[in-house]
Amino acid sequence: MKIRLAIIEAAFTAILVSAGLLAKDYDTVEMAAPHLGGMTVGFNIILPRDYATTTQRYPVLYLLHGYTDHYPAWASYSRITDYARGYDEIVVMPEGDNGFYTNSYADKNLAWEDFILLDLIPYVDGHYRTAASRQGRAIAGLSMGGYGAMKIGLKHPQMFAAAASLSGALAAARWKRRPIDDPVFQKLVDGVYGPPESPTRAAEDPFELIKKLRPEERPQIYFSVGSEDFLLEENHEFAKHLSELKVPYQYREFPGKHEWPVWDREIQVVLALQAPVIGAMRGGTE
């Protein structure tokens, strides 16, 4: 139901654009997702300003939304379309529902990680001029999407040269006491990961995944969080964990809560940090 509402919202935006009532600097695409049981889902995509006049192939940033939001969120609540103009890259903002970008333990038709890796990325690479390699691909997200970006980036380092988390739920796979005290949320989390003591959780846990990577396999790691964010402690724990493992990373903490003004500011940092890694600096080489 929520995904359908997101699609309706995107359609309404398209009507406003066509009527000249709203400027739009991105496209909305719908696709059938085999790893979501054939469900039709949407994504927004920002193309470089000179995309139509060149033959260049561009690196791609996959930018993930948070819990209770949907794929229109980044384009609706941040200035990502403005910030992306400064870089030679494609930005893809996909649907993730409330699935934590993880293949559901309870429902095989909700394989949200496989959707990103096996449905979405091949679709984007097949329909757009992308630099379709690890060195031309980055991933980032906020909250649930911050966890998803870090988890997918560390679990599939052959796919991504950089991973960034903003106010990320980095300990989601190891939660015993959930940060949101709500039975519905608790049931959802257990449906995604399995029971709290399930051994399957380790495969979805950034704290465990980073241990498996050789230095040359590690993506660039960046994460940040506000000092008043309810997820502050698990970000502290992740920073301490990386330090103990002697894994290079960049971490920022600043005044702020779990809110869009924070993420709007921080996505500018992510773009600037990842651009030289994936070859997205304007005026750079293909």
Side-chain angles (χ1 to χ4, degrees), residues 22-63:
L22 181 68
K24 187 178 179 185
D25 297 316
Y26 59 89
D27 295 321
T28 299
V29 180
E30 293 182 4
M31 59 175 289
H35 290 87
L36 298 176
M39 183 192 311
T40 297
V41 292
F43 64 88
N44 284 335
I45 183 168
I46 304 169
L47 297 175
R49 63 190 182 194
D50 55 356
Y51 182 87
T53 61
T54 74
T55 59
Q56 181 176 339
R57 291 192 170 273
Y58 295 91
V60 185
L61 166 62
Y62 290 87
L63 187 56

Side-chain angles (χ1 to χ4, degrees), residues 46-50 56-62 83-91 131 134-138 161-162 220 268 270-286:
I46 304 169
L47 297 175
R49 63 190 182 194
D50 55 356
Q56 181 176 339
R57 291 192 170 273
Y58 295 91
V60 185
L61 166 62
Y62 290 87
Y83 306 143
R85 290 193 193 109
Y87 300 93
D88 276 338
E89 70 181 310
I90 296 168
V91 180
R134 176 190 194 266
Q135 207 53 44
R137 197 179 291 127
Q220 179 201 65
Q268 299 172 69
V270 171
L271 290 169
L273 282 174
Q274 293 184 340
V277 176
I278 62 174
M281 299 299 292
R282 184 158 292 284
T285 57
E286 296 185 25

Side-chain angles (χ1 to χ4, degrees), residues 146-162:
Y147 156 79
M150 191 62 66
K151 186 261 293 201
I152 291 175
L154 298 181
K155 190 174 180 180
H156 304 280
Q158 77 283 4
M159 295 286 290
F160 302 95

Side-chain angles (χ1 to χ4, degrees), residues 68-281:
T68 75
D69 272 331
H70 295 281
Y71 73 87
W74 273 105
S76 299
Y77 305 133
S78 81
R79 295 178 60 197
I80 182 62
T81 55
D82 293 332
Y83 306 143
R85 290 193 193 109
Y87 300 93
D88 276 338
E89 70 181 310
I90 296 168
V91 180
V92 176
M93 297 159 281
E95 180 58 53
D97 197 30
N98 290 328
F100 283 82
Y101 302 96
T102 295
N103 295 344
S104 172
Y105 179 91
D107 188 343
K108 63 181 177 60
N109 287 320
L110 295 177
W112 287 102
E113 180 182 312
D114 285 351
F115 161 66
I116 297 291
L117 295 168
L118 303 178
D119 298 340
L120 178 67
I121 292 177
Y123 182 96
V124 171
D125 286 344
H127 289 78
Y128 299 91
R129 295 196 315 276
T130 67
S133 68
R134 176 190 194 266
Q135 207 53 44
R137 197 179 291 127
I139 190 166
L142 67 89
S143 192
M144 178 189 79
Y147 156 79
M150 191 62 66
K151 186 261 293 201
I152 291 175
L154 298 181
K155 190 174 180 180
H156 304 280
Q158 77 283 4
M159 295 286 290
F160 302 95
S165 167
L166 309 182
S167 306
L170 297 176
R174 53 176 57 195
W175 283 338
K176 291 183 172 63
R177 181 180 179 276
R178 280 67 165 183
I180 300 176
D181 186 16
D182 177 75
V184 174
F185 181 75
Q186 293 179 20
K187 183 178 180 181
L188 182 148
V189 170
D190 289 349
V192 170
Y193 296 110
E197 304 303 326
S198 172
T200 60
R201 289 189 174 223
E204 316 301 338
D205 185 357
F207 286 79
E208 295 298 324
L209 292 167
I210 189 62
K211 296 177 184 178
K212 301 177 182 180
L213 300 187
R214 298 188 299 272
E216 65 272 17
E217 294 177 313
R218 299 167 185 157
Q220 179 201 65
I221 296 174
Y222 174 76
F223 58 112
S224 66
V225 67
S227 59
E228 301 170 74
D229 196 302
F230 70 97
L231 295 172
L232 177 63
E233 183 178 348
E234 58 195 75
N235 279 264
H236 278 174
E237 291 173 355
F238 193 60
K240 179 181 178 183
H241 184 64
L242 296 183
S243 294
E244 290 172 347
L245 294 173
K246 295 181 170 50
V247 172
Y249 68 93
Q250 296 184 64
Y251 170 69
R252 289 185 72 220
E253 186 179 316
F254 39 77
K257 300 180 181 179
H258 203 76
E259 56 190 0
W260 275 102
V262 166
W263 305 323
D264 182 71
R265 182 178 68 243
E266 279 298 291
I267 192 57
Q268 299 172 69
V269 177
V270 171
L271 290 169
L273 282 174
Q274 293 184 340
V277 176
I278 62 174
M281 299 299 292

